[in-house]
């Protein structure tokens, strides 16, 4: 059986900075993959190239056996690629329900009635049923993060790309989101999850990839990757070229998170 | 009673301004496009109806049935062929493109129809009126225009708030990139919005043409009324545009009651006052 998502030699440069340097990566059906790496490692850029928001300079993106490198984001969404943004971007003036409904209608291609049903069940699944008729712009950060996941689920994805859904939340809030993701994982949805809050990842994913300087420097079970010398070195920041120092997250802070 | 009459006429005239302005409001609200060709498109619609009526011999009212759908299709094509390309290059590019379109339309009309003034013949409808009291009588055409305006604005609002297509128009207008992540093809969605805007501007152009004469160069001077209605009401809000149109109509007829020479000036002064003291307009929108 072929992999659900395959990246072959994905390369992207912004001027002199190489944010993706010939990345090869594959994600199987129903697999949950976590991606970690210091800020500036190219994690979000990689997501954008998978979702179709950004075109790679070189390389190929294959989804479910078909080459999708030249298809736009809307087409990839309809094929079954769902994505969340690191900073939630709901349609502010629409209700929570409408936000998910447009996804069900256009992303999943459902007729009206089935769209309503999917939107209702997705909101229940993400714990937003009580907020369904609120204007999305009025939500709290946790609720916005939930809506970001709900809207992506509304497109009925076969692969869900989660970009730091736990970022900026308190510990109990992170637990709530992790529970949602774990439930999704339980029903066989393939997930690729970028996260700085590593313990949220390790409890959920079966495989972890560490990205630094546009290259994969670790790939394996969470325990293997976190124990590897290359990964620890990047997080310790002893090799400044491989790991551009993150201004708001110091190396000891990150190491603390890793070891927690 | 003259004053009451002025108020009634002002509200009815405002309906025409609102109908005319809602296409401008829609394009700005959804795509942030300021359509400088808006007035010329209304005139183009009038000439198209004039030509249809002349060639086929049908009444101008029936020509409307042909022209409005043709304009909707034209709107979609203009978006896909012209506006879409300029959107990526920023607001200045769309401004220049619509300005260019305005010049092209004016000169095409001049070339095809000469500079003569025309009117759309709607038979007895143009002068038929309903006498309410000895001092107040309203023309059927003005009432028809007002009802059309109300119907179009309510219809557009319902379309945007209640239909699936309307929701995706709002979503795309709010965040085009996020909208593609829920499967929306923004080019198609914007094309639909432009088609709607063109259909309403055609309708307004025809109603204008039924009550007063038009020539190929009158577009820009009509455009100013649409701008004033949109700005007075509040950018990007359809209800605001409706209110803005009526307020503009009232200002003109009430001023005309004082001195007919003040008619247009009063509208412009009100517009300036709104810009100076309430630049967000009377009924500002959060977004479309």
């Amino acid at each position: 059986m072929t992999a659900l998502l395959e990246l072959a030699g994905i390369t992207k440069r912004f001027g002199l900075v190489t944010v993706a340097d010939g990345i090869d990566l594959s994600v199987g059906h129903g697999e949950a993959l976590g991606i970690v790496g210091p800020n500036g490692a190219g994690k979000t850029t990689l997501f954008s190239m998978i979702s179709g928001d950004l075109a790679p300079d070189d390389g190929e993106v294959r989804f479910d056996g078909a080459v999708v490198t030249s298809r736009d984001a809307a087409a990839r969404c309809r094929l079954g690629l769902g994505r969340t943004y690191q900073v939630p971007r709901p349609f502010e003036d629409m209700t929570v329900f409408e936000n998910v409904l447009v996804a069900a209608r256009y992303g999943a291609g459902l007729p009206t009635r089935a769209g309503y049903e999917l939107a209702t069940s997705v909101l229940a699944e993400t714990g937003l049923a009580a907020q369904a008729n609120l204007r999305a712009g009025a939500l709290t950060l946790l609720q916005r993060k939930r809506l970001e996941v709900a809207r992506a689920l509304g497109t009925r994805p076969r692969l869900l790309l989660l970009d730091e859904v736990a970022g900026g939340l308190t510990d109990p809030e992170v637990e709530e989101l992790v529970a949602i993701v774990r439930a999704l994982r339980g029903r066989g949805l393939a997930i690729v999850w970028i996260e700085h809050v590593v313990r949220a990842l390790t409890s959920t994913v079966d495989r972890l990839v560490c990205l630094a300087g546009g290259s994969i420097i670790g790939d394996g079970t969470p325990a293997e990757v976190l124990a590897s010398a290359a990964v620890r070195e990047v997080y310790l920041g002893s090799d400044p070229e491989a790991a551009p120092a993150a201004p708001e997250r110091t190396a000891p802070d990150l190491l603390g998170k890793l070891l927690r | 009673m003259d004053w009451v009459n002025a108020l009634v006429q002002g509200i009815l005239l405002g309906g025409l301004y609102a109908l005319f302005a809602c296409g401008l409001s829609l394009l700005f609200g959804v795509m942030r496009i300021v359509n400088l060709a808006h007035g010329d498109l209304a005139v183009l619609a009038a000439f198209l109806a004039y030509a249809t009526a002349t060639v086929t011999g049908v009444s101008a009212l029936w020509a409307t049935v042909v022209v409005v759908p043709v304009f909707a299709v034209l709107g979609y094509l203009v978006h896909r062929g012209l506006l879409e390309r300029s959107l990526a290059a920023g607001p200045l590019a769309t401004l220049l493109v619509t300005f260019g379109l305005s010049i092209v339309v004016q000169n095409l009309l001049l070339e095809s129809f000469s500079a003569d003034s025309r009117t759309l013949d709607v038979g007895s409808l143009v002068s038929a009126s309903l006498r309410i009291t000895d001092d107040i009588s309203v023309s059927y055409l003005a009432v028809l225009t007002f009802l059309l305006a109300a119907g179009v604005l309510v219809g557009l609002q319902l379309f945007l708030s209640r239909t699936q297509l309307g929701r995706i128009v709002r979503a795309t207008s709010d965040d085009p990139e996020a909208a593609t992540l829920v499967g929306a093809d923004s080019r198609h969605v914007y094309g639909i919005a432009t088609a709607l805007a063109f259909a309403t501007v055609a309708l307004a152009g025809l109603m204008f043409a039924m009550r007063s004469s038009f020539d190929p160069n009158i577009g820009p001077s009509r455009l100013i009324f649409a701008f004033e209605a949109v700005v007075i009401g509040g950018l990007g809000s359809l209800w605001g545009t409706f209110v803005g149109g009526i307020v503009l109509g009232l200002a003109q007829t009430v001023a005309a009651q004082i001195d007919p020479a003040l008619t247009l000036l009063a509208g412009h002064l009100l517009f300036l006052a709104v810009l100076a003291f309430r630049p967000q307009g009377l009924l500002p929108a959060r977004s479309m």
Side-chain angles (χ1 to χ4, degrees):
Chain A
M1 197 160 91
T2 57
L4 182 59
L5 175 76
E6 283 175 284
L7 305 181
I10 292 291
T11 300
K12 183 77 188 174
R13 292 181 196 86
F14 292 121
L16 293 173
V17 185
T18 303
V19 286
D21 193 5
I23 292 179
D24 298 307
L25 184 68
S26 72
V27 182
H29 292 266
E31 188 177 9
L33 170 73
I35 298 182
V36 293
N39 280 6
K43 303 185 296 294
T44 296
T45 306
L46 187 66
F47 259 23
S48 294
M49 289 188 286
I50 300 174
S51 69
D53 286 338
L54 198 65
D57 294 335
D58 200 13
E60 204 170 74
V61 181
R62 287 189 287 269
F63 185 67
D64 206 14
V67 177
V68 296
T69 321
S70 60
R71 319 235 2 213
D72 64 19
R76 291 188 206 188
C77 165
R78 291 192 289 265
L79 285 175
L81 259 167
R83 183 211 171 146
T84 70
Y85 286 112
Q86 190 173 346
V87 178
R89 285 163 71 170
F91 305 123
E92 307 261 343
D93 284 325
M94 293 169 54
T95 65
V96 168
F97 189 75
E98 283 180 313
N99 265 270
V100 184
L101 190 60
V102 290
R105 178 67 188 80
Y106 289 89
L110 292 175
T112 310
R113 177 150 216 101
Y116 272 71
E117 282 163 9
L118 177 64
T120 309
S121 73
V122 162
L123 287 179
E125 199 172 10
T126 49
L128 279 173
Q131 286 78 32
N133 291 319
L134 281 185
R135 209 170 64 84
L139 297 182
T140 64
L141 177 64
L142 174 64
Q143 288 166 342
R144 288 164 80 92
K145 295 254 180 191
R146 285 171 185 266
L147 178 55
E148 197 67 16
V149 176
R151 193 174 62 185
L153 286 176
T155 67
R156 232 169 29 179
R158 283 182 290 160
L159 174 66
L160 183 60
L161 304 169
L162 298 172
D163 194 350
E164 292 206 29
V165 284
L169 298 178
T170 63
D171 286 354
E173 290 174 337
V174 169
E175 289 307 318
E176 286 182 47
L177 270 172
V178 168
I180 291 171
V181 178
R182 211 173 285 151
L184 295 174
R185 157 120 190 73
R187 66 170 161 90
L189 181 62
I191 292 169
V192 180
W193 187 1
I194 292 176
E195 195 56 75
H196 267 306
V197 187
V198 176
R199 76 202 134 75
L201 273 184
T202 50
S203 63
T204 312
V205 300
D206 16 57
R207 186 176 146 214
L208 196 64
V209 160
C210 183
L211 212 57
S215 304
I216 292 176
I217 60 160
D219 186 349
T221 66
E224 281 168 11
V225 171
L226 294 180
S228 95
V231 172
R232 293 180 73 96
E233 188 172 280
V234 162
Y235 272 93
L236 277 166
S238 59
D239 180 0
E241 276 192 3
E248 76 277 14
R249 279 176 193 273
T250 57
D253 167 44
L254 275 172
L255 187 67
K257 278 199 152 61
L258 277 169
L259 299 178
R260 221 187 306 174
Chain B
M1 283 311 264
D2 287 348
W3 288 100
V4 178
N5 187 46
L7 291 179
V8 172
Q9 303 302 337
I11 291 171
L12 292 178
L13 177 65
L16 176 59
Y17 289 155
L19 180 63
F20 182 43
C22 74
L24 197 69
S25 182
L26 192 65
L27 279 195
F28 183 81
V30 174
M31 285 173 269
R32 299 288 176 269
I33 287 180
V34 175
N35 181 12
L36 291 179
H38 190 76
D40 304 290
L41 289 170
V43 178
L44 175 65
F47 273 103
L48 212 56
Y50 175 82
T52 310
T54 312
V55 171
T56 62
V58 298
S59 119
L61 280 177
W62 284 110
T64 308
V65 180
V66 180
V67 171
V68 171
V70 166
F71 251 67
V73 174
L74 183 69
Y76 189 86
L77 296 177
V78 164
H79 179 77
R80 295 306 296 262
L82 211 57
L83 299 178
E84 184 180 297
R85 291 158 203 271
S86 63
L87 263 179
L92 190 60
T94 57
L95 207 60
L96 285 173
V97 165
T98 59
F99 183 60
L101 189 63
S102 156
I103 295 172
V104 169
V105 169
Q106 280 179 42
N107 284 285
L108 272 180
L109 289 176
L110 204 56
E111 186 69 30
S112 326
F113 293 93
S114 82
D116 294 347
S117 264
R118 323 264 172 170
T119 50
L120 268 192
D121 183 15
V122 285
S124 57
L125 187 62
V126 71
S127 55
S129 63
L130 179 68
R131 181 166 288 272
I132 297 171
T133 69
D134 282 349
D135 296 311
I136 305 173
S137 68
V138 291
S139 100
Y140 283 126
L141 189 58
V143 173
L144 176 69
T145 309
F146 186 85
L147 292 178
L148 262 180
V152 164
L153 281 153
V154 169
L156 274 180
Q157 196 67 52
L158 286 177
F159 164 77
L160 287 173
S161 60
R162 299 285 169 80
T163 67
Q164 301 294 353
L165 197 53
R167 285 195 185 97
I168 202 71
V169 169
R170 280 154 63 211
T172 308
S173 157
D174 187 352
D175 188 337
E177 202 180 294
T180 63
L181 282 194
V182 296
D185 180 350
S186 64
R187 294 163 302 182
H188 178 64
V189 171
Y190 283 164
I192 302 260
T194 314
L196 283 173
F198 269 52
T200 61
V201 77
L203 199 56
L206 297 176
M207 300 320 280
F208 258 119
M210 286 175 200
R211 54 193 287 160
S212 56
S213 63
F214 55 93
D215 63 65
N217 293 316
I218 205 169
S221 56
R222 295 259 165 93
L223 174 66
I224 188 84
F225 296 138
F227 266 124
E228 289 179 347
V230 169
V231 172
I232 291 171
L235 281 173
S237 145
L238 285 175
W239 294 129
T241 301
F242 195 42
V243 170
I246 288 172
V247 169
L248 180 64
L250 278 172
Q252 291 187 355
T253 53
V254 168
Q257 187 66 30
I258 300 166
D259 180 350
L262 293 177
T263 310
L264 294 184
L265 183 64
H268 298 332
L269 287 177
L270 177 73
F271 165 68
L272 279 180
V274 168
L275 269 187
F277 300 111
R278 199 177 157 82
Q280 74 273 37
L282 300 178
L283 286 182
R286 280 191 297 255
S287 84
M288 203 63 148

